[in-house]
Amino acid sequence: EDKVVQSPLSLVVHEGDTVTLNCSYEVTNFRSLLWYKQEKKAPTFLFMLTSSGIEKKSGRLSSILDKKELFSILNITATQTGDSAIYLCAVYRNDYKLSFGAGTTVTVRA
Amino acid sequence: NAGVTQTPKFQVLKTGQSMTLQCAQDMNHNSMYWYRQDPGMGLRLIYYSASEGTTDKGEVPNGYNVSRLNKREFSLRLESAAPSQTSVYFCASSRTYNEQFFGPGTRLTVL
């Protein structure tokens, strides 16, 4: 059975801290890994990763994939209260299915 | 350009009642998906349609049926609602194997 496991389940940080979120997967016919941010409404897309070792960046967020060790990390630097959200990791298989992890809840305190 | 729209936004049903959740996208996407989200469980795939004319089961299809009416519309039907189907339902669409765009969700309560 496919597994997408995120850790930690939740964390609380102060503004300005750096956060590292983990996503490990055991998925047959892996195609790509995606990260989403969810703030009390629909998830919004952050990154899609298909190749190992190539970092993707968007402002203070960055992510990288390791296809040998089957994991990805999402980093958030200089956190702000607006970064408070649930961060979801998801994996595409070659049969079009997208499997999500349970998410990591990040709370950033002022 | 509305993206992905869902109706209704909220619904309360009694056990045994039926209803259809509607989803439409205006981005000319091939693939459409239905998910449910429960606390602490992320999103779980109910059914998906990789392209117009095809539908397939996801992780949790029991108690649901779907119809891909055309390229734009993908509906989810609960034939006999149960309390275990109380959840938030999201529809999503994408170009094949690309980022999925999500609708605003439907909050369903089954009493």
mmCIF file with all atom_site columns, all heavy atoms in Angstrom, chain A residues 31 36 38 42 88 92-97 100-101, chain B residues 33 35 37 42-43 48 57 96-98 100 103:
data_model
loop_
_atom_site.group_PDB
_atom_site.id
_atom_site.type_symbol
_atom_site.label_atom_id
_atom_site.label_alt_id
_atom_site.label_comp_id
_atom_site.label_asym_id
_atom_site.label_entity_id
_atom_site.label_seq_id
_atom_site.pdbx_PDB_ins_code
_atom_site.Cartn_x
_atom_site.Cartn_y
_atom_site.Cartn_z
_atom_site.occupancy
_atom_site.B_iso_or_equiv
_atom_site.pdbx_formal_charge
_atom_site.auth_seq_id
_atom_site.auth_comp_id
_atom_site.auth_asym_id
_atom_site.auth_atom_id
_atom_site.pdbx_PDB_model_num
ATOM 1   N N   . ARG A 1 31  ? 5.946   9.343  -9.948  1.00 0.00 ? 31  ARG A N   1
ATOM 2   C CA  . ARG A 1 31  ? 6.149   10.235 -11.081 1.00 0.00 ? 31  ARG A CA  1
ATOM 3   C C   . ARG A 1 31  ? 6.695   11.598 -10.627 1.00 0.00 ? 31  ARG A C   1
ATOM 4   O O   . ARG A 1 31  ? 7.632   12.125 -11.195 1.00 0.00 ? 31  ARG A O   1
ATOM 5   C CB  . ARG A 1 31  ? 4.848   10.427 -11.848 1.00 0.00 ? 31  ARG A CB  1
ATOM 6   C CG  . ARG A 1 31  ? 5.035   11.205 -13.135 1.00 0.00 ? 31  ARG A CG  1
ATOM 7   C CD  . ARG A 1 31  ? 3.771   11.264 -13.942 1.00 0.00 ? 31  ARG A CD  1
ATOM 8   N NE  . ARG A 1 31  ? 4.012   11.948 -15.198 1.00 0.00 ? 31  ARG A NE  1
ATOM 9   C CZ  . ARG A 1 31  ? 4.353   11.318 -16.320 1.00 0.00 ? 31  ARG A CZ  1
ATOM 10  N NH1 . ARG A 1 31  ? 4.459   10.005 -16.346 1.00 0.00 ? 31  ARG A NH1 1
ATOM 11  N NH2 . ARG A 1 31  ? 4.554   12.000 -17.432 1.00 0.00 ? 31  ARG A NH2 1
ATOM 12  N N   . TYR A 1 36  ? 1.739   21.630 -1.223  1.00 0.00 ? 36  TYR A N   1
ATOM 13  C CA  . TYR A 1 36  ? 0.632   22.577 -1.198  1.00 0.00 ? 36  TYR A CA  1
ATOM 14  C C   . TYR A 1 36  ? 0.586   23.264 0.167   1.00 0.00 ? 36  TYR A C   1
ATOM 15  O O   . TYR A 1 36  ? 1.016   22.698 1.178   1.00 0.00 ? 36  TYR A O   1
ATOM 16  C CB  . TYR A 1 36  ? -0.715  21.867 -1.411  1.00 0.00 ? 36  TYR A CB  1
ATOM 17  C CG  . TYR A 1 36  ? -1.016  21.484 -2.835  1.00 0.00 ? 36  TYR A CG  1
ATOM 18  C CD1 . TYR A 1 36  ? -0.536  20.301 -3.366  1.00 0.00 ? 36  TYR A CD1 1
ATOM 19  C CD2 . TYR A 1 36  ? -1.792  22.310 -3.640  1.00 0.00 ? 36  TYR A CD2 1
ATOM 20  C CE1 . TYR A 1 36  ? -0.813  19.950 -4.678  1.00 0.00 ? 36  TYR A CE1 1
ATOM 21  C CE2 . TYR A 1 36  ? -2.087  21.962 -4.950  1.00 0.00 ? 36  TYR A CE2 1
ATOM 22  C CZ  . TYR A 1 36  ? -1.592  20.788 -5.460  1.00 0.00 ? 36  TYR A CZ  1
ATOM 23  O OH  . TYR A 1 36  ? -1.876  20.436 -6.758  1.00 0.00 ? 36  TYR A OH  1
ATOM 24  N N   . GLN A 1 38  ? -2.282  25.097 2.777   1.00 0.00 ? 38  GLN A N   1
ATOM 25  C CA  . GLN A 1 38  ? -3.725  25.201 3.001   1.00 0.00 ? 38  GLN A CA  1
ATOM 26  C C   . GLN A 1 38  ? -3.997  26.073 4.218   1.00 0.00 ? 38  GLN A C   1
ATOM 27  O O   . GLN A 1 38  ? -3.599  25.747 5.324   1.00 0.00 ? 38  GLN A O   1
ATOM 28  C CB  . GLN A 1 38  ? -4.347  23.816 3.196   1.00 0.00 ? 38  GLN A CB  1
ATOM 29  C CG  . GLN A 1 38  ? -5.857  23.857 3.269   1.00 0.00 ? 38  GLN A CG  1
ATOM 30  C CD  . GLN A 1 38  ? -6.492  22.482 3.347   1.00 0.00 ? 38  GLN A CD  1
ATOM 31  O OE1 . GLN A 1 38  ? -5.882  21.522 3.781   1.00 0.00 ? 38  GLN A OE1 1
ATOM 32  N NE2 . GLN A 1 38  ? -7.731  22.377 2.907   1.00 0.00 ? 38  GLN A NE2 1
ATOM 33  N N   . ALA A 1 42  ? -9.220  26.073 0.380   1.00 0.00 ? 42  ALA A N   1
ATOM 34  C CA  . ALA A 1 42  ? -8.670  25.107 -0.561  1.00 0.00 ? 42  ALA A CA  1
ATOM 35  C C   . ALA A 1 42  ? -7.145  25.159 -0.580  1.00 0.00 ? 42  ALA A C   1
ATOM 36  O O   . ALA A 1 42  ? -6.542  26.205 -0.396  1.00 0.00 ? 42  ALA A O   1
ATOM 37  C CB  . ALA A 1 42  ? -9.206  25.387 -1.960  1.00 0.00 ? 42  ALA A CB  1
ATOM 38  N N   . LEU A 1 88  ? 0.908   20.473 2.893   1.00 0.00 ? 88  LEU A N   1
ATOM 39  C CA  . LEU A 1 88  ? 0.579   19.133 2.423   1.00 0.00 ? 88  LEU A CA  1
ATOM 40  C C   . LEU A 1 88  ? 1.587   18.683 1.372   1.00 0.00 ? 88  LEU A C   1
ATOM 41  O O   . LEU A 1 88  ? 1.928   19.443 0.456   1.00 0.00 ? 88  LEU A O   1
ATOM 42  C CB  . LEU A 1 88  ? -0.822  19.112 1.812   1.00 0.00 ? 88  LEU A CB  1
ATOM 43  C CG  . LEU A 1 88  ? -1.970  19.422 2.758   1.00 0.00 ? 88  LEU A CG  1
ATOM 44  C CD1 . LEU A 1 88  ? -3.227  19.777 1.964   1.00 0.00 ? 88  LEU A CD1 1
ATOM 45  C CD2 . LEU A 1 88  ? -2.263  18.234 3.656   1.00 0.00 ? 88  LEU A CD2 1
ATOM 46  N N   . TYR A 1 92  ? 2.408   11.995 -7.119  1.00 0.00 ? 92  TYR A N   1
ATOM 47  C CA  . TYR A 1 92  ? 1.745   11.498 -8.326  1.00 0.00 ? 92  TYR A CA  1
ATOM 48  C C   . TYR A 1 92  ? 2.306   10.125 -8.679  1.00 0.00 ? 92  TYR A C   1
ATOM 49  O O   . TYR A 1 92  ? 3.524   9.922  -8.694  1.00 0.00 ? 92  TYR A O   1
ATOM 50  C CB  . TYR A 1 92  ? 2.030   12.406 -9.520  1.00 0.00 ? 92  TYR A CB  1
ATOM 51  C CG  . TYR A 1 92  ? 0.925   13.336 -9.941  1.00 0.00 ? 92  TYR A CG  1
ATOM 52  C CD1 . TYR A 1 92  ? 1.191   14.688 -10.110 1.00 0.00 ? 92  TYR A CD1 1
ATOM 53  C CD2 . TYR A 1 92  ? -0.369  12.883 -10.204 1.00 0.00 ? 92  TYR A CD2 1
ATOM 54  C CE1 . TYR A 1 92  ? 0.206   15.572 -10.520 1.00 0.00 ? 92  TYR A CE1 1
ATOM 55  C CE2 . TYR A 1 92  ? -1.360  13.763 -10.599 1.00 0.00 ? 92  TYR A CE2 1
ATOM 56  C CZ  . TYR A 1 92  ? -1.066  15.106 -10.765 1.00 0.00 ? 92  TYR A CZ  1
ATOM 57  O OH  . TYR A 1 92  ? -2.040  15.978 -11.160 1.00 0.00 ? 92  TYR A OH  1
ATOM 58  N N   . ARG A 1 93  ? 1.405   9.190  -9.012  1.00 0.00 ? 93  ARG A N   1
ATOM 59  C CA  . ARG A 1 93  ? 1.790   7.918  -9.606  1.00 0.00 ? 93  ARG A CA  1
ATOM 60  C C   . ARG A 1 93  ? 1.543   7.977  -11.103 1.00 0.00 ? 93  ARG A C   1
ATOM 61  O O   . ARG A 1 93  ? 0.870   8.887  -11.589 1.00 0.00 ? 93  ARG A O   1
ATOM 62  C CB  . ARG A 1 93  ? 0.971   6.783  -8.979  1.00 0.00 ? 93  ARG A CB  1
ATOM 63  C CG  . ARG A 1 93  ? 1.242   6.584  -7.535  1.00 0.00 ? 93  ARG A CG  1
ATOM 64  C CD  . ARG A 1 93  ? 0.291   5.624  -6.869  1.00 0.00 ? 93  ARG A CD  1
ATOM 65  N NE  . ARG A 1 93  ? -0.558  4.846  -7.744  1.00 0.00 ? 93  ARG A NE  1
ATOM 66  C CZ  . ARG A 1 93  ? -1.257  3.793  -7.317  1.00 0.00 ? 93  ARG A CZ  1
ATOM 67  N NH1 . ARG A 1 93  ? -1.175  3.424  -6.073  1.00 0.00 ? 93  ARG A NH1 1
ATOM 68  N NH2 . ARG A 1 93  ? -2.041  3.133  -8.152  1.00 0.00 ? 93  ARG A NH2 1
ATOM 69  N N   . ASN A 1 94  ? 2.044   7.005  -11.802 1.00 0.00 ? 94  ASN A N   1
ATOM 70  C CA  . ASN A 1 94  ? 1.870   6.980  -13.254 1.00 0.00 ? 94  ASN A CA  1
ATOM 71  C C   . ASN A 1 94  ? 0.442   6.669  -13.699 1.00 0.00 ? 94  ASN A C   1
ATOM 72  O O   . ASN A 1 94  ? 0.140   6.735  -14.884 1.00 0.00 ? 94  ASN A O   1
ATOM 73  C CB  . ASN A 1 94  ? 2.831   5.980  -13.898 1.00 0.00 ? 94  ASN A CB  1
ATOM 74  C CG  . ASN A 1 94  ? 4.224   6.549  -14.019 1.00 0.00 ? 94  ASN A CG  1
ATOM 75  O OD1 . ASN A 1 94  ? 4.408   7.757  -14.144 1.00 0.00 ? 94  ASN A OD1 1
ATOM 76  N ND2 . ASN A 1 94  ? 5.219   5.690  -13.958 1.00 0.00 ? 94  ASN A ND2 1
ATOM 77  N N   . ASP A 1 95  ? -0.429  6.320  -12.753 1.00 0.00 ? 95  ASP A N   1
ATOM 78  C CA  . ASP A 1 95  ? -1.832  6.075  -13.107 1.00 0.00 ? 95  ASP A CA  1
ATOM 79  C C   . ASP A 1 95  ? -2.718  7.275  -12.793 1.00 0.00 ? 95  ASP A C   1
ATOM 80  O O   . ASP A 1 95  ? -3.924  7.114  -12.584 1.00 0.00 ? 95  ASP A O   1
ATOM 81  C CB  . ASP A 1 95  ? -2.356  4.835  -12.380 1.00 0.00 ? 95  ASP A CB  1
ATOM 82  C CG  . ASP A 1 95  ? -2.307  4.977  -10.869 1.00 0.00 ? 95  ASP A CG  1
ATOM 83  O OD1 . ASP A 1 95  ? -1.848  6.018  -10.379 1.00 0.00 ? 95  ASP A OD1 1
ATOM 84  O OD2 . ASP A 1 95  ? -2.737  4.026  -10.178 1.00 0.00 ? 95  ASP A OD2 1
ATOM 85  N N   . TYR A 1 96  ? -2.121  8.467  -12.749 1.00 0.00 ? 96  TYR A N   1
ATOM 86  C CA  . TYR A 1 96  ? -2.829  9.745  -12.580 1.00 0.00 ? 96  TYR A CA  1
ATOM 87  C C   . TYR A 1 96  ? -3.255  10.026 -11.143 1.00 0.00 ? 96  TYR A C   1
ATOM 88  O O   . TYR A 1 96  ? -3.743  11.112 -10.868 1.00 0.00 ? 96  TYR A O   1
ATOM 89  C CB  . TYR A 1 96  ? -4.074  9.848  -13.473 1.00 0.00 ? 96  TYR A CB  1
ATOM 90  C CG  . TYR A 1 96  ? -3.823  9.534  -14.917 1.00 0.00 ? 96  TYR A CG  1
ATOM 91  C CD1 . TYR A 1 96  ? -4.147  8.297  -15.445 1.00 0.00 ? 96  TYR A CD1 1
ATOM 92  C CD2 . TYR A 1 96  ? -3.245  10.486 -15.753 1.00 0.00 ? 96  TYR A CD2 1
ATOM 93  C CE1 . TYR A 1 96  ? -3.898  8.008  -16.768 1.00 0.00 ? 96  TYR A CE1 1
ATOM 94  C CE2 . TYR A 1 96  ? -2.995  10.200 -17.077 1.00 0.00 ? 96  TYR A CE2 1
ATOM 95  C CZ  . TYR A 1 96  ? -3.327  8.961  -17.576 1.00 0.00 ? 96  TYR A CZ  1
ATOM 96  O OH  . TYR A 1 96  ? -3.079  8.673  -18.892 1.00 0.00 ? 96  TYR A OH  1
ATOM 97  N N   . LYS A 1 97  ? -3.082  9.064  -10.206 1.00 0.00 ? 97  LYS A N   1
ATOM 98  C CA  . LYS A 1 97  ? -3.527  9.296  -8.838  1.00 0.00 ? 97  LYS A CA  1
ATOM 99  C C   . LYS A 1 97  ? -2.532  10.167 -8.090  1.00 0.00 ? 97  LYS A C   1
ATOM 100 O O   . LYS A 1 97  ? -1.322  10.014 -8.234  1.00 0.00 ? 97  LYS A O   1
ATOM 101 C CB  . LYS A 1 97  ? -3.676  7.969  -8.102  1.00 0.00 ? 97  LYS A CB  1
ATOM 102 C CG  . LYS A 1 97  ? -4.821  7.121  -8.576  1.00 0.00 ? 97  LYS A CG  1
ATOM 103 C CD  . LYS A 1 97  ? -4.913  5.836  -7.756  1.00 0.00 ? 97  LYS A CD  1
ATOM 104 C CE  . LYS A 1 97  ? -6.048  4.962  -8.250  1.00 0.00 ? 97  LYS A CE  1
ATOM 105 N NZ  . LYS A 1 97  ? -6.097  3.675  -7.521  1.00 0.00 ? 97  LYS A NZ  1
ATOM 106 N N   . PHE A 1 100 ? -1.995  12.050 -0.919  1.00 0.00 ? 100 PHE A N   1
ATOM 107 C CA  . PHE A 1 100 ? -1.573  13.092 0.011   1.00 0.00 ? 100 PHE A CA  1
ATOM 108 C C   . PHE A 1 100 ? -1.123  12.514 1.355   1.00 0.00 ? 100 PHE A C   1
ATOM 109 O O   . PHE A 1 100 ? -1.660  11.501 1.818   1.00 0.00 ? 100 PHE A O   1
ATOM 110 C CB  . PHE A 1 100 ? -2.732  14.059 0.288   1.00 0.00 ? 100 PHE A CB  1
ATOM 111 C CG  . PHE A 1 100 ? -2.950  15.065 -0.795  1.00 0.00 ? 100 PHE A CG  1
ATOM 112 C CD1 . PHE A 1 100 ? -3.690  14.740 -1.919  1.00 0.00 ? 100 PHE A CD1 1
ATOM 113 C CD2 . PHE A 1 100 ? -2.422  16.342 -0.694  1.00 0.00 ? 100 PHE A CD2 1
ATOM 114 C CE1 . PHE A 1 100 ? -3.897  15.666 -2.930  1.00 0.00 ? 100 PHE A CE1 1
ATOM 115 C CE2 . PHE A 1 100 ? -2.629  17.284 -1.694  1.00 0.00 ? 100 PHE A CE2 1
ATOM 116 C CZ  . PHE A 1 100 ? -3.362  16.933 -2.816  1.00 0.00 ? 100 PHE A CZ  1
ATOM 117 N N   . GLY A 1 101 ? -0.173  13.200 1.977   1.00 0.00 ? 101 GLY A N   1
ATOM 118 C CA  . GLY A 1 101 ? 0.138   12.949 3.368   1.00 0.00 ? 101 GLY A CA  1
ATOM 119 C C   . GLY A 1 101 ? -0.871  13.653 4.266   1.00 0.00 ? 101 GLY A C   1
ATOM 120 O O   . GLY A 1 101 ? -1.732  14.409 3.786   1.00 0.00 ? 101 GLY A O   1
ATOM 121 N N   . TYR B 2 33  ? -10.818 15.513 -10.276 1.00 0.00 ? 33  TYR B N   1
ATOM 122 C CA  . TYR B 2 33  ? -10.672 14.675 -9.083  1.00 0.00 ? 33  TYR B CA  1
ATOM 123 C C   . TYR B 2 33  ? -11.692 15.090 -8.019  1.00 0.00 ? 33  TYR B C   1
ATOM 124 O O   . TYR B 2 33  ? -12.033 16.267 -7.909  1.00 0.00 ? 33  TYR B O   1
ATOM 125 C CB  . TYR B 2 33  ? -9.273  14.856 -8.475  1.00 0.00 ? 33  TYR B CB  1
ATOM 126 C CG  . TYR B 2 33  ? -8.128  14.534 -9.406  1.00 0.00 ? 33  TYR B CG  1
ATOM 127 C CD1 . TYR B 2 33  ? -7.723  15.431 -10.386 1.00 0.00 ? 33  TYR B CD1 1
ATOM 128 C CD2 . TYR B 2 33  ? -7.456  13.320 -9.294  1.00 0.00 ? 33  TYR B CD2 1
ATOM 129 C CE1 . TYR B 2 33  ? -6.680  15.129 -11.244 1.00 0.00 ? 33  TYR B CE1 1
ATOM 130 C CE2 . TYR B 2 33  ? -6.407  13.013 -10.151 1.00 0.00 ? 33  TYR B CE2 1
ATOM 131 C CZ  . TYR B 2 33  ? -6.022  13.930 -11.113 1.00 0.00 ? 33  TYR B CZ  1
ATOM 132 O OH  . TYR B 2 33  ? -4.984  13.615 -11.960 1.00 0.00 ? 33  TYR B OH  1
ATOM 133 N N   . TYR B 2 35  ? -11.964 14.704 -3.773  1.00 0.00 ? 35  TYR B N   1
ATOM 134 C CA  . TYR B 2 35  ? -11.308 14.337 -2.523  1.00 0.00 ? 35  TYR B CA  1
ATOM 135 C C   . TYR B 2 35  ? -12.243 14.620 -1.354  1.00 0.00 ? 35  TYR B C   1
ATOM 136 O O   . TYR B 2 35  ? -13.109 15.473 -1.434  1.00 0.00 ? 35  TYR B O   1
ATOM 137 C CB  . TYR B 2 35  ? -10.050 15.184 -2.296  1.00 0.00 ? 35  TYR B CB  1
ATOM 138 C CG  . TYR B 2 35  ? -8.949  14.993 -3.291  1.00 0.00 ? 35  TYR B CG  1
ATOM 139 C CD1 . TYR B 2 35  ? -8.868  15.791 -4.432  1.00 0.00 ? 35  TYR B CD1 1
ATOM 140 C CD2 . TYR B 2 35  ? -7.954  14.040 -3.092  1.00 0.00 ? 35  TYR B CD2 1
ATOM 141 C CE1 . TYR B 2 35  ? -7.843  15.635 -5.359  1.00 0.00 ? 35  TYR B CE1 1
ATOM 142 C CE2 . TYR B 2 35  ? -6.921  13.873 -4.008  1.00 0.00 ? 35  TYR B CE2 1
ATOM 143 C CZ  . TYR B 2 35  ? -6.876  14.679 -5.130  1.00 0.00 ? 35  TYR B CZ  1
ATOM 144 O OH  . TYR B 2 35  ? -5.847  14.519 -6.032  1.00 0.00 ? 35  TYR B OH  1
ATOM 145 N N   . GLN B 2 37  ? -11.734 15.562 2.889   1.00 0.00 ? 37  GLN B N   1
ATOM 146 C CA  . GLN B 2 37  ? -10.729 15.924 3.890   1.00 0.00 ? 37  GLN B CA  1
ATOM 147 C C   . GLN B 2 37  ? -11.340 15.850 5.265   1.00 0.00 ? 37  GLN B C   1
ATOM 148 O O   . GLN B 2 37  ? -12.322 16.537 5.573   1.00 0.00 ? 37  GLN B O   1
ATOM 149 C CB  . GLN B 2 37  ? -10.168 17.325 3.644   1.00 0.00 ? 37  GLN B CB  1
ATOM 150 C CG  . GLN B 2 37  ? -9.004  17.678 4.570   1.00 0.00 ? 37  GLN B CG  1
ATOM 151 C CD  . GLN B 2 37  ? -8.332  18.974 4.200   1.00 0.00 ? 37  GLN B CD  1
ATOM 152 O OE1 . GLN B 2 37  ? -8.948  19.913 3.718   1.00 0.00 ? 37  GLN B OE1 1
ATOM 153 N NE2 . GLN B 2 37  ? -7.015  19.048 4.406   1.00 0.00 ? 37  GLN B NE2 1
ATOM 154 N N   . GLY B 2 42  ? -5.331  14.597 6.030   1.00 0.00 ? 42  GLY B N   1
ATOM 155 C CA  . GLY B 2 42  ? -4.985  15.096 4.706   1.00 0.00 ? 42  GLY B CA  1
ATOM 156 C C   . GLY B 2 42  ? -6.172  14.975 3.766   1.00 0.00 ? 42  GLY B C   1
ATOM 157 O O   . GLY B 2 42  ? -7.329  14.978 4.183   1.00 0.00 ? 42  GLY B O   1
ATOM 158 N N   . LEU B 2 43  ? -5.895  14.847 2.482   1.00 0.00 ? 43  LEU B N   1
ATOM 159 C CA  . LEU B 2 43  ? -6.947  14.663 1.481   1.00 0.00 ? 43  LEU B CA  1
ATOM 160 C C   . LEU B 2 43  ? -6.905  13.218 0.983   1.00 0.00 ? 43  LEU B C   1
ATOM 161 O O   . LEU B 2 43  ? -5.828  12.695 0.681   1.00 0.00 ? 43  LEU B O   1
ATOM 162 C CB  . LEU B 2 43  ? -6.758  15.608 0.291   1.00 0.00 ? 43  LEU B CB  1
ATOM 163 C CG  . LEU B 2 43  ? -7.077  17.060 0.547   1.00 0.00 ? 43  LEU B CG  1
ATOM 164 C CD1 . LEU B 2 43  ? -5.816  17.847 0.798   1.00 0.00 ? 43  LEU B CD1 1
ATOM 165 C CD2 . LEU B 2 43  ? -7.827  17.657 -0.631  1.00 0.00 ? 43  LEU B CD2 1
ATOM 166 N N   . TYR B 2 48  ? -11.543 9.716  -9.612  1.00 0.00 ? 48  TYR B N   1
ATOM 167 C CA  . TYR B 2 48  ? -10.929 10.658 -10.515 1.00 0.00 ? 48  TYR B CA  1
ATOM 168 C C   . TYR B 2 48  ? -11.299 10.308 -11.954 1.00 0.00 ? 48  TYR B C   1
ATOM 169 O O   . TYR B 2 48  ? -11.758 9.207  -12.247 1.00 0.00 ? 48  TYR B O   1
ATOM 170 C CB  . TYR B 2 48  ? -9.405  10.710 -10.327 1.00 0.00 ? 48  TYR B CB  1
ATOM 171 C CG  . TYR B 2 48  ? -8.673  9.441  -10.703 1.00 0.00 ? 48  TYR B CG  1
ATOM 172 C CD1 . TYR B 2 48  ? -7.965  9.340  -11.897 1.00 0.00 ? 48  TYR B CD1 1
ATOM 173 C CD2 . TYR B 2 48  ? -8.667  8.354  -9.840  1.00 0.00 ? 48  TYR B CD2 1
ATOM 174 C CE1 . TYR B 2 48  ? -7.282  8.192  -12.227 1.00 0.00 ? 48  TYR B CE1 1
ATOM 175 C CE2 . TYR B 2 48  ? -7.985  7.197  -10.162 1.00 0.00 ? 48  TYR B CE2 1
ATOM 176 C CZ  . TYR B 2 48  ? -7.288  7.119  -11.351 1.00 0.00 ? 48  TYR B CZ  1
ATOM 177 O OH  . TYR B 2 48  ? -6.614  5.971  -11.673 1.00 0.00 ? 48  TYR B OH  1
ATOM 178 N N   . LYS B 2 57  ? -11.728 4.555  -9.614  1.00 0.00 ? 57  LYS B N   1
ATOM 179 C CA  . LYS B 2 57  ? -11.812 4.648  -8.173  1.00 0.00 ? 57  LYS B CA  1
ATOM 180 C C   . LYS B 2 57  ? -10.499 5.122  -7.580  1.00 0.00 ? 57  LYS B C   1
ATOM 181 O O   . LYS B 2 57  ? -9.423  4.814  -8.071  1.00 0.00 ? 57  LYS B O   1
ATOM 182 C CB  . LYS B 2 57  ? -12.151 3.268  -7.587  1.00 0.00 ? 57  LYS B CB  1
ATOM 183 C CG  . LYS B 2 57  ? -13.511 2.753  -7.984  1.00 0.00 ? 57  LYS B CG  1
ATOM 184 C CD  . LYS B 2 57  ? -13.765 1.369  -7.404  1.00 0.00 ? 57  LYS B CD  1
ATOM 185 C CE  . LYS B 2 57  ? -15.128 0.850  -7.821  1.00 0.00 ? 57  LYS B CE  1
ATOM 186 N NZ  . LYS B 2 57  ? -15.398 -0.513 -7.274  1.00 0.00 ? 57  LYS B NZ  1
ATOM 187 N N   . THR B 2 96  ? -2.849  16.959 -17.523 1.00 0.00 ? 96  THR B N   1
ATOM 188 C CA  . THR B 2 96  ? -2.365  15.634 -17.160 1.00 0.00 ? 96  THR B CA  1
ATOM 189 C C   . THR B 2 96  ? -1.033  15.712 -16.430 1.00 0.00 ? 96  THR B C   1
ATOM 190 O O   . THR B 2 96  ? -0.071  16.278 -16.937 1.00 0.00 ? 96  THR B O   1
ATOM 191 C CB  . THR B 2 96  ? -2.228  14.768 -18.423 1.00 0.00 ? 96  THR B CB  1
ATOM 192 O OG1 . THR B 2 96  ? -3.460  14.786 -19.131 1.00 0.00 ? 96  THR B OG1 1
ATOM 193 C CG2 . THR B 2 96  ? -1.869  13.343 -18.042 1.00 0.00 ? 96  THR B CG2 1
ATOM 194 N N   . TYR B 2 97  ? -1.001  15.165 -15.202 1.00 0.00 ? 97  TYR B N   1
ATOM 195 C CA  . TYR B 2 97  ? 0.200   15.081 -14.370 1.00 0.00 ? 97  TYR B CA  1
ATOM 196 C C   . TYR B 2 97  ? 0.780   16.431 -13.957 1.00 0.00 ? 97  TYR B C   1
ATOM 197 O O   . TYR B 2 97  ? 1.947   16.531 -13.581 1.00 0.00 ? 97  TYR B O   1
ATOM 198 C CB  . TYR B 2 97  ? 1.313   14.281 -15.047 1.00 0.00 ? 97  TYR B CB  1
ATOM 199 C CG  . TYR B 2 97  ? 1.013   12.817 -15.200 1.00 0.00 ? 97  TYR B CG  1
ATOM 200 C CD1 . TYR B 2 97  ? 1.132   12.188 -16.432 1.00 0.00 ? 97  TYR B CD1 1
ATOM 201 C CD2 . TYR B 2 97  ? 0.589   12.057 -14.120 1.00 0.00 ? 97  TYR B CD2 1
ATOM 202 C CE1 . TYR B 2 97  ? 0.853   10.845 -16.579 1.00 0.00 ? 97  TYR B CE1 1
ATOM 203 C CE2 . TYR B 2 97  ? 0.305   10.699 -14.259 1.00 0.00 ? 97  TYR B CE2 1
ATOM 204 C CZ  . TYR B 2 97  ? 0.443   10.113 -15.487 1.00 0.00 ? 97  TYR B CZ  1
ATOM 205 O OH  . TYR B 2 97  ? 0.165   8.787  -15.632 1.00 0.00 ? 97  TYR B OH  1
ATOM 206 N N   . ASN B 2 98  ? -0.035  17.456 -13.996 1.00 0.00 ? 98  ASN B N   1
ATOM 207 C CA  . ASN B 2 98  ? 0.426   18.773 -13.555 1.00 0.00 ? 98  ASN B CA  1
ATOM 208 C C   . ASN B 2 98  ? -0.245  19.166 -12.242 1.00 0.00 ? 98  ASN B C   1
ATOM 209 O O   . ASN B 2 98  ? -1.040  18.415 -11.689 1.00 0.00 ? 98  ASN B O   1
ATOM 210 C CB  . ASN B 2 98  ? 0.141   19.818 -14.640 1.00 0.00 ? 98  ASN B CB  1
ATOM 211 C CG  . ASN B 2 98  ? 1.238   19.867 -15.675 1.00 0.00 ? 98  ASN B CG  1
ATOM 212 O OD1 . ASN B 2 98  ? 2.153   20.663 -15.597 1.00 0.00 ? 98  ASN B OD1 1
ATOM 213 N ND2 . ASN B 2 98  ? 1.164   18.978 -16.638 1.00 0.00 ? 98  ASN B ND2 1
ATOM 214 N N   . GLN B 2 100 ? -2.608  20.419 -9.464  1.00 0.00 ? 100 GLN B N   1
ATOM 215 C CA  . GLN B 2 100 ? -4.064  20.396 -9.407  1.00 0.00 ? 100 GLN B CA  1
ATOM 216 C C   . GLN B 2 100 ? -4.556  21.695 -8.792  1.00 0.00 ? 100 GLN B C   1
ATOM 217 O O   . GLN B 2 100 ? -4.009  22.176 -7.809  1.00 0.00 ? 100 GLN B O   1
ATOM 218 C CB  . GLN B 2 100 ? -4.540  19.192 -8.586  1.00 0.00 ? 100 GLN B CB  1
ATOM 219 C CG  . GLN B 2 100 ? -4.226  17.875 -9.272  1.00 0.00 ? 100 GLN B CG  1
ATOM 220 C CD  . GLN B 2 100 ? -4.812  16.685 -8.553  1.00 0.00 ? 100 GLN B CD  1
ATOM 221 O OE1 . GLN B 2 100 ? -5.622  16.828 -7.636  1.00 0.00 ? 100 GLN B OE1 1
ATOM 222 N NE2 . GLN B 2 100 ? -4.432  15.497 -8.970  1.00 0.00 ? 100 GLN B NE2 1
ATOM 223 N N   . GLY B 2 103 ? -11.183 23.529 -6.016  1.00 0.00 ? 103 GLY B N   1
ATOM 224 C CA  . GLY B 2 103 ? -12.351 24.357 -5.777  1.00 0.00 ? 103 GLY B CA  1
ATOM 225 C C   . GLY B 2 103 ? -12.425 24.762 -4.316  1.00 0.00 ? 103 GLY B C   1
ATOM 226 O O   . GLY B 2 103 ? -11.628 24.314 -3.500  1.00 0.00 ? 103 GLY B O   1
#
